[in-house]
Amino acid sequence: MKIERIEAIPYEIPYVRPLKFASGEVTAADHVLLRIHTDTGIMGVADIPPRPYTYGETQASIVAVINGIFAPALIGMDPFNRQSVQQTLRRTVHNNTAKGAVDIALWDAIGHATGASVWSLLGGYAPSMRVSHMLGFKEPKVLLEEAQRFGSEYGVTTFKLKVGRRPLALDIEACRVLREGLGEDVQIYLDANRGWTANEAIDVLRRTEGLGLAFLEEPCDAKEAMGRRRLVERSTIPIFGDESVPTAGDASRELLSGGCNGICIKTARTGFTESQEVLGLSTGLGVDVYMGNQIDTQIGTIATVVFGAAHEATSRRAGELSNFLDMADDLLAEPLVIRDGRIDVPEGPGVGATIDEDKLAHYRVDGA
């Protein structure tokens, strides 16, 4: 089996509710659908989320790097030769989500070629994954109402609260209102998206002590090295790396230098192959991990579920799997379902994402 053709299809689906956070805001899913065709008629699929404020990638740059660099280098290669593909991709620096999608699409093709689910090929640990819902910048009362709705409608009991605002009292009050309104049994953790300084993060943790927060993700820029190490040393809850650990090498650097003591894994940026490297590094060092969300569509969410449920360590914590509900539509032929706070692993071969061709034709923006 050889790679015969690669498609990078830009499309745009509006959001019903924009999501605001410290490093940016999204009002539409201006993503890229990747399809890798083989000479046997088998096709692998993945979704690519441009995040210029995190990785520097835009929809146009993703299409350009795939069509201009990756496709010419990969056509003719065997999808099963994943290490050779990885070495080919690594010749080009950055372009994290474009590389991650190529890897996921190749795993999808391998699954279809062997008749096996990628979930089982990766490890096949759990049949479903617990859901965490992400809460953006809103008034505390509105945040509480949204969290209570997700609890009652979907059974969600874990919430990520986006923080990183000034004055700090805005986020501190949101933490207090959520804890008082949701009770002790609901897990709440924070993500500042580098919005604070290390000293501000220390102040927030001091002023929210006793609220039972589970952990804090990306409190400040990792380049603020001395302050960040001091924060990690002083914090009574884990400090997780996300934007600062886009590759396995970055994760190694941050963990060993004391820049964080937990790792967020996102299949959108490390695919399945490098995500396994990050996971192995973390578990070998005794470091907690969880599955993050790159504000993914349902296609991207399926990839997160497949990887997260396949491994024991990533199944321990709820994964961020619900943000597709803020989108007006999706390209999936059969929508994902959150039931009792969980999403099931798709049945059948491959990753499990079947595209609705009519929807793709409607939302694509390349004029094809």
Side-chain angles (χ1 to χ4, degrees):
M1 186 168 68
K2 304 294 182 184
I3 299 172
E4 186 175 69
R5 182 167 59 94
I6 298 178
E7 291 182 281
I9 305 171
Y11 70 93
E12 182 172 315
I13 297 176
Y15 271 66
V16 177
R17 293 173 291 274
L19 180 65
K20 297 181 180 180
F21 41 94
S23 60
E25 176 183 2
V26 290
T27 58
D30 53 343
H31 291 202
V32 177
L33 181 70
L34 181 70
R35 300 204 285 201
I36 297 181
H37 301 263
T38 70
D39 58 358
T40 63
I42 288 172
M43 179 177 66
V45 174
D47 192 58
I48 315 177
R51 295 293 173 258
Y53 40 77
T54 304
Y55 309 114
E57 293 171 286
T58 66
Q59 188 180 64
S61 74
I62 287 169
V63 172
V65 77
I66 289 173
N67 289 340
I69 298 178
F70 292 165
L74 297 177
I75 288 173
M77 296 185 70
D78 186 338
F80 282 88
N81 296 342
R82 290 182 298 101
Q83 286 300 312
S84 295
V85 170
Q86 287 290 312
Q87 287 304 114
T88 299
L89 295 176
R90 286 170 182 168
R91 295 173 191 164
T92 303
V93 299
H94 307 307
N95 293 281
N96 303 79
T97 63
K99 293 175 181 177
V102 168
D103 185 68
I104 291 171
L106 290 178
W107 274 95
D108 190 32
I110 289 168
H112 285 288
T114 59
S117 69
V118 172
W119 168 78
S120 65
L121 293 175
L122 289 170
Y125 178 75
S128 65
M129 203 172 178
R130 196 155 48 93
V131 175
S132 168
H133 179 64
M134 189 185 304
L135 301 167
F137 286 174
K138 296 174 184 176
E139 292 297 317
K141 180 182 177 182
V142 177
L143 289 172
L144 178 58
E145 290 172 351
E146 180 178 344
Q148 290 173 330
R149 179 172 64 85
F150 269 80
S152 61
E153 290 186 19
Y154 302 104
V156 174
T157 58
T158 301
F159 296 93
K160 166 190 268 193
L161 175 62
K162 289 289 190 178
V163 293
R165 293 178 291 179
R166 298 184 179 95
L168 305 180
L170 291 171
D171 293 326
I172 293 167
E173 176 66 7
C175 292
R176 185 190 63 78
V177 169
L178 284 174
R179 176 53 73 208
E180 291 179 357
L182 298 176
E184 296 296 323
D185 294 334
V186 169
Q187 186 177 84
I188 301 170
Y189 61 99
L190 309 181
D191 178 11
N193 290 112
R194 314 181 308 280
W196 295 322
T197 66
N199 287 333
E200 287 175 323
I202 290 173
D203 190 20
V204 170
L205 291 178
R206 178 182 59 81
R207 294 163 67 182
T208 55
E209 191 172 2
L211 294 181
L213 301 176
F215 59 90
L216 169 60
E217 178 187 308
E218 217 64 77
C220 59
D221 197 316
K223 294 176 183 177
E224 193 182 336
M226 291 185 67
R228 182 129 160 180
R229 286 198 297 270
R230 186 173 66 255
L231 167 63
V232 173
E233 290 169 358
R234 293 186 179 186
S235 177
T236 58
I237 61 175
I239 304 298
F240 273 66
D242 178 12
E243 298 99 309
S244 60
V245 292
T247 68
D250 293 315
S252 175
R253 180 200 64 229
E254 288 304 303
L255 288 172
L256 296 177
S257 69
C260 65
N261 49 18
I263 294 292
C264 173
I265 297 176
K266 291 182 175 177
T267 56
R269 68 177 173 223
T270 42
F272 293 151
T273 300
E274 191 169 8
S275 290
Q276 284 191 314
E277 294 176 9
V278 175
L279 177 59
L281 169 70
S282 301
T283 55
L285 292 172
V287 170
D288 281 356
V289 297
Y290 82 96
M291 298 304 300
N293 187 302
Q294 206 57 73
I295 318 177
D296 294 314
T297 62
Q298 294 186 40
I299 304 169
T301 300
I302 285 179
T304 303
V305 171
V306 164
F307 185 90
H311 303 91
E312 188 274 335
T314 47
S315 296
R316 295 175 195 165
R317 295 181 182 270
E320 295 168 2
L321 307 171
S322 64
N323 282 97
F324 65 83
L325 294 171
D326 289 332
M327 299 175 191
D329 203 352
D330 204 89
L331 300 183
L332 272 193
E334 295 186 16
L336 288 178
V337 176
I338 302 174
R339 185 180 295 108
D340 297 326
R342 307 186 74 91
I343 294 180
D344 292 336
V345 173
E347 297 180 355
V351 174
T354 301
I355 305 302
D356 184 317
E357 295 297 329
D358 290 336
K359 288 186 176 182
L360 176 61
H362 177 73
Y363 289 114
R364 66 189 298 167
V365 294
D366 58 357

